[in-house]
């Protein structure tokens, strides 16, 4: 007969066959850890998005209209993370209220989302 081990502490579980944890403290700890690592994943994505937004906003503020891919990369822009795309123009990628439009020669046009009235 195989012994079942607690998913949290790994101790052999006594009692019911369907038990997954030795007790409530192991069960609670297991779910807390799972939630924490999930939260850490979200936080990482959020921080990349915030950094991407900051970079585009900074270029806009400096009056740069068409940064090159190189310029964006050097500033630390991460091309894997955007919040959404424009419905009308699928080549416009946004990070919250600022975005980029891919142009020929590895250039990008910076976009600023104007709030519709
Ligand atoms: Zn346990």
């Amino acid at each position: 007969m195989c012994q079942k081990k607690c998913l949290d502490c790994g101790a052999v579980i006594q009692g019911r066959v369907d038990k997954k944890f030795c007790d409530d403290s192991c069960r609670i700890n297991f779910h807390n850890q799972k939630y924490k690592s999930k939260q850490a994943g979200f936080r990482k994505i959020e921080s990349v998005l915030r950094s991407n937004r900051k970079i585009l906003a900074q270029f806009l503020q400096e009056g740069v209209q068409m940064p090159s891919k190189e310029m964006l990369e050097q500033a630390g822009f991460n091309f894997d993370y955007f919040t959404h795309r424009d419905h009308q123009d699928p080549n416009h990628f946004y990070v919250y209220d600022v975005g980029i439009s891919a142009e020929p020669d590895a250039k990008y046009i910076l976009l600023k989302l104007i709030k519709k009235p």
Side-chain angles (χ1 to χ4, degrees), residues 12-106:
V12 174
I13 297 173
Q14 315 286 341
R16 284 198 344 253
V17 193
D18 59 338
K19 268 178 91 177
K20 291 178 186 166
F21 305 98
C22 0
D23 53 25
D24 278 349
S25 78
C26 276
R27 184 179 53 80
I28 290 163
N29 187 53
F30 179 81
H31 289 297
N32 281 348
Q33 293 306 319
K34 211 168 134 185
Y35 178 74
K36 256 189 220 161
S37 66
K38 208 173 171 184
Q39 288 298 100
F42 287 139
R43 269 200 298 273
K44 201 183 158 220
I45 291 169
E46 276 163 9
S47 88
V48 174
L49 287 171
R50 267 200 308 273
S51 157
N52 274 357
R53 191 204 168 271
K54 210 164 131 189
I55 291 161
L56 297 186
Q58 184 74 34
F59 276 126
L60 279 168
Q61 207 180 16
E62 289 167 1
V64 179
Q65 309 261 309
M66 272 187 92
S68 65
K69 189 174 176 44
E70 223 180 355
M71 281 166 79
L72 288 165
E73 276 172 351
Q74 263 171 21
F77 193 82
N78 186 329
F79 286 88
D80 293 330
Y81 291 85
F82 295 93
T83 54
H84 62 288
R85 284 164 83 174
D86 193 322
H87 290 300
Q88 266 107 48
D89 202 331
N91 288 323
H92 291 187
F93 292 87
Y94 283 93
V95 187
Y96 302 109
D97 60 331
V98 289
I100 53 174
S101 164
E103 302 298 318
D105 304 322

